[in-house]
Amino acid sequence: MEKKFKTAFVCTQCGAMHPKWQGQCRDCSEWNTLVEERIIQASGRTKRREIENPQKLADISDHFLIGHKSGLGEFDRVLGGGLLTGSTVLLAGEPGIGKSTLILQAADAYSKMGVNILYVTGEESLGQLKKRAQRLSIAGTNISFINLTNLEQILSVIKDNHNHIVIVDSIQTVSSDAFASPPGTVGQIRESAGRLIEQAKKNDFSLFLVGHVTKEGLVAGPKVLEHMVDAVLYFEGDSQHLYRLLRPTKNRYGSTFELGVFEMSPGGLKEIDNPSSLFLSDFGKIRRSGAVVAASCEGNRSILVEVQALVSSASYGTPQRVAGGIDNKRLALLLAILEKRIGIPMGSNDVFVSVAGGLRLDEPAIDLPILLSIVSSLKDIPLDSKIVAAGEVGLSGEVRPVGMAEQRVSEAAKLGFKKIIFPEQNLKGITSKKIELIGVSTLENALNLLF
Ligand code: TYD
Ligand code: MG
């Protein structure tokens, strides 16, 4: 029996159904809440569907556990070691950040491993893709490209050509005949992704969906997909800077504490094995007041980053507090701790803090390095360039322990630093022959030691 479909607009707020799209839901009066949905109309007699019997764990086939490796170390690691057959990965990021570049490079790496790939492009013409491939010096022996946006046509191409991996760039350009709304709307995205994911599981191929998010991060697309896919990789960075971070925010088959670091170059993305080299501007060469190296962590990777502060007397009115790469409120809090616990008045100073390389740091262990850089700039006393610091600073000025202590110490030692200022409580059980560990229990403690 043929299934018949009808579309309707359902309010995501109250669940009311409307035959036509309208800006405001007539039932609950909320604005912009209607989403197009496909409704199955069953007519006539329905045949009883074949249902599989429940199985014991030992009887379930584990053929899907065989993962594809690309050989691109940073990419494989973020995926949890490899790409599982039948699984779907969403690659999300702002437009222009380099998603298509990354996925094409990854496709080429898989292709070199003998994996067959179908690359469905909805955004760019085949000519444009070829141009990019030439720029990236990609051979793409086992990759077939097709320019399609119609979901039904894409599904039929997938069925006719067996591939191990299918890439859809981007999911926002795909639309189904079953829907009246234009591509990129929530209903279209959910339907297209849903049917592609279903096909991937049925036909045993791995699926990559590329999705755009905007600066606000909440554009309809990728957010509604997150719960449908097996893994979500966010590709982020700053278009002003060259580094790019690949961060899994969800992974059913691996850790979300991984981080892949790349650098965008004229010849494409390059893997960065040693991320610290990107974020330490010219450490060790010049001693400048206000510059302190922080032993920071991104996911479970340790990265050394230079934190810079500039403190100058406020010219007029309210002193300015400007933070780049760290939270503005955190900076205000740290300045309050400095005033109240150490007795350094900051009310008549402008304070600017930034993180070298444009990296954004969200972890508490950078509190101590930030405070040290502020005091260094205020007193105009440069810190020894072979010193690195890490530690969370509490409201009463105490230095609290940080996570991943050993990784931070060993990264600092590896890069040739000689001293690490560290929370006292973290030092238990850590020894190093290469770097001197200096434990501090309060901010005052640390400042007395260094200034
Ligand atoms: P792209 O992969 O098209 O971004 P997205 O798919 O996320 O929209 O990459 C866009 C930017 O990357 C573009 O501004 C140019 C830059 N780029 C390089 O710097 N080097 C390269 O080799 C390539 C292919 C792109
Ligand atoms: Mg693109």
Side-chain angles (χ1 to χ4, degrees), residues 288-362:
R288 287 167 290 132
S289 65
V292 173
V293 177
S296 182
C297 271
E298 275 285 336
N300 54 18
R301 275 182 104 171
S302 167
I303 301 184
L304 299 196
V305 195
E306 191 177 299
V307 179
Q308 300 171 344
L310 182 67
V311 181
S312 60
S313 50
S315 342
Y316 15 47
T318 325
Q320 298 203 57
R321 274 86 179 86
V322 182
I326 62 159
D327 184 31
N328 235 331
K329 289 205 189 89
R330 190 87 203 158
L331 175 60
L333 184 79
L334 293 176
L335 289 173
I337 294 172
L338 204 55
E339 257 200 60
K340 189 84 183 169
R341 303 294 167 203
I342 310 293
I344 301 178
M346 300 302 295
S348 55
N349 289 314
D350 287 338
V351 180
F352 306 91
V353 174
S354 83
V355 176
L359 190 69
R360 226 198 125 69
L361 299 176
D362 273 331

Side-chain angles (χ1 to χ4, degrees), residues 89 302 402 422:
V89 177
S302 167
V402 295
F422 224 49

Side-chain angles (χ1 to χ4, degrees), residues 363-423:
E363 60 141 4
I366 53 159
D367 289 354
L368 185 59
I370 292 172
L371 284 164
L372 294 179
S373 70
I374 292 170
V375 175
S376 161
S377 174
L378 182 75
K379 298 191 181 243
D380 203 15
I381 302 174
L383 227 64
D384 187 329
S385 62
K386 293 287 177 206
I387 288 185
V388 12
E392 178 179 352
V393 178
L395 292 184
S396 54
E398 80 278 18
V399 175
R400 295 197 187 154
V402 295
M404 318 263 304
E406 276 175 59
Q407 286 90 329
R408 293 178 204 260
V409 171
S410 75
E411 177 78 3
K414 203 166 78 190
L415 287 166
F417 286 88
K418 295 294 171 216
K419 285 181 188 170
I420 181 162
I421 314 292
F422 224 49

Side-chain angles (χ1 to χ4, degrees), residues 5-12 16-22 32-39 175-192:
F5 297 104
K6 196 182 91 174
T7 63
F9 293 86
V10 180
C11 175
T12 50
M17 249 191 245
H18 307 273
K20 277 200 184 127
W21 190 85
Q22 52 210 26
N32 291 326
T33 53
L34 296 198
V35 169
E36 193 175 14
E37 294 276 1
R38 199 157 64 139
I39 294 154
S175 62
S176 162
D177 288 337
F179 279 65
S181 52
T185 47
V186 179
Q188 286 285 15
I189 289 177
R190 210 161 38 182
E191 171 74 8
S192 308

